[in-house]
Amino acid sequence: MRDYDEITAFLGEWGPFQILTFLLLSLSVFPNGFGGMSIVFVGDIPEHRCFIPGNLNLSEAWMNRTIPLEQAQGKLQYSKCRRYRLDVIRNLSEIFPDPDSVNISEVEQEPCLDGWVYSKDQYISTIVSEWDLVCNDDWKMPFSMSIYFLGVLVGSLVSGMLSDRFGRKAVLFGTMAVQTSFNVLQVFSSSWEIFCLINFLIGIGQISNYVAAFVLGSELLGKSIRITYCTLGIGISYACGYMFLPLVAYFIRSWQVLLLTLSLVGLMYIPLWWFIYESPRWLLSKGRVQEAEAIFQHIAKKNGLTLPEVLFNDLELESIKDKNIKSFPISHLVKTHNIRSITIISLIVWLILAIGYYGLSLNTPNLHGDDYLNCFFAGAIEIPANLAAWLFLQKFSRKLSLSGSLFFGGIVLFFIQLIPPSVSILATVLVMVGKLANTCAFTIIYTYTAELYATVIRNTGVGVSLMASRLGSILSPYFLFLGVYYEFLPYILMGSLTILSAILILLLPETNNFPLPNTIDQMQRMKGFKSACNHRYYLNTNEMATEVNCVAIKNEEI
């Protein structure tokens, strides 16, 4: 019996309709590139020091001595969180006009009781200067990032269910509206707590939009275009959105105006409603045959083709419905020793990848050089990374491509600590190279994970893996926070974990040039794990049925 792709093959793979759909759906991902990364500038920490009230009547010489000097990251600088006791300083200034005649270092210190003064050299304002997220409250800055990624985690859980219930198109545009409207509301946040709450809601909309575009494109486009769409289409559009962020932020130095400007970009996507169509596959699964056939009619007309009189017979329609509603519980991911091992390794690798990707992306302000150029390069580097991933997926082993990318990226990060301060630009280059390798691996693992799991548990397996990556993104800001204690500690940890994930990948089976498994019994066995099955199953390759006995592949990697 024919499947959906075979029945609709007459529509072609790359006609005018597919080209337009490819471009528009890729374009819909553009705001995702700057949506999650805007915190790089919105939440950057300006140079700051304790505020000294002007009513102390101190001379300029004494004013300059009210802040103690302390060693930080190998250099002497003014304290950001402490000052000398002002009552003592005032008494000393009345007795000794010249502060150099007094050993001020012995004066007792106190916290910044009157607030802070923030440098205006780079920013007019950020949320840090708005709500004093420094010193004892410095934990609030990484928490602001983590709460966004917590929203992304929740969005990952609900987006699939919403998409299956209400349709891919409705969720795509609905979540884009959520992003735009809550970004506007965030501009008017009256407190840090309100900002975090809205950031959580934006995170829900951001990932739901991305997933809906990913699924809708995969279902509207043909087999030969799907990998290109999921790597080059979505990946490059995301990277362009990423590069757009520093270009806007360079000219807009106030966090409120920056967020408002970025949020208004979402209004440009309203006209796309009339050019992007619902997934016919989803419509058929819901029994809405006439609506699906109307879309097929439009595609055929757009591509200059004639629609057959009968597309689906009753038996084929029932088969499509069954395939869409049939699912297995999450317990099947740990039901057998082989699948359990694949799942555990996948979860670990996805979590580490997310820590590395978001850790490097959010670390832009801490790099040497210009923040805006560094952020632009961090986005631009994703274009060759996606091109490399597309090439690897087309031509080479999934396992070796993924493991090699991770190993290379981990080694690069691990050795950043060896770069001397005199050539700090080289450290920034290595960070960018590490991000290239990490982004390439992140793109490959989507396809690889989907190919590892059988059809009946594929959505569940990929969904659980995505949840692990969201947990990694929640943890990533705190990896950066460790840099307060030792500048290179985040790179050492991320590099070591990335190398560990590269080793774990080598334990998984290869999937390139093997047909997708439909049943759990057809899932490939990890090397060294015995198979208990004795029955035979079929692998369809090049329209030929090849009979394979499970016993023959025991203890082997296929």
Side-chain angles (χ1 to χ4, degrees):
M1 184 174 61
R2 300 179 303 166
D3 61 12
Y4 176 88
D5 289 316
E6 186 179 354
I7 295 168
T8 58
F10 77 95
L11 294 172
E13 292 281 325
W14 195 236
F17 175 84
Q18 287 86 354
I19 293 173
L20 182 64
T21 298
F22 184 101
L23 294 175
L24 293 183
L25 283 176
S26 297
L27 185 63
S28 73
V29 176
F30 181 83
N32 296 78
F34 57 75
M37 297 303 168
S38 61
I39 196 70
V40 168
F41 299 106
V42 169
D44 198 9
I45 305 173
E47 288 295 322
H48 57 278
R49 56 193 291 187
C50 292
F51 173 72
I52 307 299
N55 58 2
L56 296 176
N57 297 320
L58 297 176
S59 66
E60 184 177 351
W62 272 102
M63 284 288 288
N64 292 334
R65 301 295 296 273
T66 54
I67 306 297
L69 292 170
E70 54 186 35
Q71 199 78 17
Q73 297 183 351
K75 58 183 180 180
L76 201 62
Q77 60 185 21
Y78 284 110
S79 174
K80 299 178 186 296
C81 301
R82 307 287 295 176
R83 68 186 185 185
Y84 291 119
R85 279 187 54 180
L86 295 186
D87 57 339
V88 177
I89 292 293
R90 182 172 54 187
N91 292 334
L92 288 173
S93 68
E94 293 174 352
I95 302 172
F96 303 98
D98 183 7
D100 292 332
S101 61
V102 183
N103 186 7
I104 299 179
S105 61
E106 295 181 356
V107 175
E108 185 180 351
Q109 298 180 14
E110 63 184 5
C112 300
L113 301 177
D114 298 297
W116 290 261
V117 176
Y118 296 91
S119 169
K120 302 286 185 179
D121 292 342
Q122 183 170 352
Y123 302 105
I124 297 175
S125 67
T126 69
I127 63 170
V128 173
S129 61
E130 184 81 13
W131 295 301
D132 290 332
L133 308 183
V134 292
C135 299
N136 290 337
D137 287 333
D138 58 358
W139 62 271
K140 292 183 178 180
M141 187 55 250
F143 184 83
S144 303
M145 302 181 196
S146 292
I147 201 70
Y148 168 84
F149 291 119
L150 183 60
V152 171
L153 173 60
V154 174
S156 301
L157 296 174
V158 302
S159 60
M161 294 183 289
L162 292 175
S163 183
D164 287 340
R165 181 175 177 83
F166 299 106
R168 291 31 170 147
K169 180 180 176 179
V171 171
L172 173 64
F173 284 92
T175 52
M176 288 173 69
V178 167
Q179 280 183 269
T180 302
S181 58
F182 280 106
N183 269 315
V184 173
L185 284 176
Q186 195 171 39
V187 173
F188 304 100
S189 299
S190 58
S191 66
W192 171 76
E193 290 79 8
I194 297 297
F195 179 91
C196 288
L197 174 61
I198 298 176
N199 221 25
F200 172 78
L201 298 174
I202 292 172
I204 294 177
Q206 197 263 5
I207 188 60
S208 301
N209 161 46
Y210 187 93
V211 171
F214 186 91
V215 173
L216 183 56
S218 299
E219 294 182 349
L220 280 172
L221 300 172
K223 285 182 178 179
S224 63
I225 306 300
R226 286 171 193 161
I227 287 182
T228 303
Y229 168 73
C230 295
T231 52
L232 301 186
I234 287 182
I236 291 180
S237 180
Y238 181 93
C240 289
Y242 198 152
M243 291 186 289
F244 178 72
L245 171 63
L247 295 178
V248 177
Y250 180 80
F251 295 100
I252 301 175
R253 303 300 179 96
S254 166
W255 73 269
Q256 292 102 328
V257 181
L258 176 59
L259 282 183
L260 181 61
T261 304
L262 294 175
S263 63
L264 293 179
V265 174
L267 299 178
M268 299 170 56
Y269 291 89
I270 295 175
L272 297 188
W273 175 269
W274 290 275
F275 296 95
I276 294 177
Y277 289 82
E278 182 57 270
S279 164
R281 189 190 295 262
W282 177 81
L283 290 170
L284 290 170
S285 73
K286 298 299 181 182
R288 296 158 63 174
V289 180
Q290 291 183 337
E291 294 176 63
E293 289 182 342
I295 294 176
F296 289 134
Q297 183 70 46
H298 173 80
I299 299 173
K301 182 179 179 181
K302 192 77 174 177
N303 290 348
L305 303 169
T306 302
L307 196 70
E309 292 184 6
V310 178
L311 268 177
F312 303 93
N313 59 44
D314 293 338
L315 190 60
E316 288 169 340
L317 285 175
E318 288 299 322
S319 175
I320 292 172
K321 292 180 185 179
D322 289 341
K323 285 183 179 179
N324 279 274
I325 64 174
K326 188 175 182 180
S327 62
F328 280 65
I330 195 172
S331 59
H332 277 71
L333 296 180
V334 293
K335 193 168 186 179
T336 68
H337 192 47
N338 180 63
I339 298 176
R340 183 164 56 249
S341 301
I342 290 175
T343 298
I344 292 172
I345 291 176
S346 294
L347 294 180
I348 295 173
V349 173
W350 276 85
L351 184 143
I352 293 173
L353 263 174
I355 290 175
Y357 177 82
Y358 289 104
L360 294 176
S361 298
L362 297 172
N363 192 47
T364 302
N366 298 323
L367 298 177
H368 298 281
D370 184 80
D371 291 349
Y372 301 95
L373 278 177
N374 288 338
C375 185
F376 180 84
F377 290 140
I381 205 72
E382 297 203 3
I383 294 179
N386 281 284
L387 286 169
W390 175 79
L391 179 63
F392 290 150
L393 288 170
Q394 295 284 356
K395 302 292 184 182
F396 302 106
S397 159
R398 305 280 197 260
K399 180 169 69 172
L400 295 181
S401 297
L402 180 57
S403 180
S405 299
L406 289 167
F407 186 79
F408 176 69
I411 289 291
V412 167
L413 294 179
F414 189 77
F415 283 103
I416 289 175
Q417 60 183 312
L418 303 181
I419 304 300
S422 58
V423 285
S424 58
I425 186 65
L426 181 57
T428 300
V429 171
L430 290 181
V431 170
M432 295 301 170
V433 173
K435 188 171 188 298
L436 183 148
N438 188 282
T439 302
C440 179
F442 222 144
T443 305
I444 293 172
I445 201 171
Y446 272 89
T447 299
Y448 188 35
T449 303
E451 292 175 348
L452 283 171
Y453 288 104
T455 300
V456 292
I457 58 171
R458 184 169 297 123
N459 284 340
T460 305
V462 174
V464 170
S465 299
L466 280 169
M467 288 177 59
S469 77
R470 304 314 169 201
L471 178 59
S473 63
I474 292 171
L475 296 174
S476 61
Y478 291 97
F479 270 72
L480 300 182
F481 192 63
L482 295 174
V484 173
Y485 304 101
Y486 177 55
E487 182 180 0
F488 299 108
L489 184 57
Y491 298 120
I492 294 172
L493 291 177
M494 287 189 289
S496 302
L497 289 173
T498 303
I499 293 172
L500 171 63
S501 65
I503 296 171
L504 292 176
I505 287 293
L506 295 176
L507 301 176
L508 296 173
E510 180 56 64
T511 61
N512 191 29
N513 294 325
F514 285 90
L516 289 176
N518 288 319
T519 66
I520 290 177
D521 286 336
Q522 292 176 358
M523 284 182 64
Q524 299 187 53
R525 269 68 188 170
M526 290 179 61
K527 188 173 182 179
F529 289 89
K530 294 185 178 182
S531 170
C533 65
N534 292 311
H535 63 279
R536 290 179 290 185
Y537 60 91
Y538 294 87
L539 300 175
N540 295 320
T541 308
N542 298 326
E543 300 180 354
M544 297 178 62
T546 306
E547 192 170 87
V548 181
N549 195 311
C550 285
V551 176
I553 61 170
K554 187 187 300 182
N555 292 327
E556 293 183 8
E557 179 183 20
I558 61 173

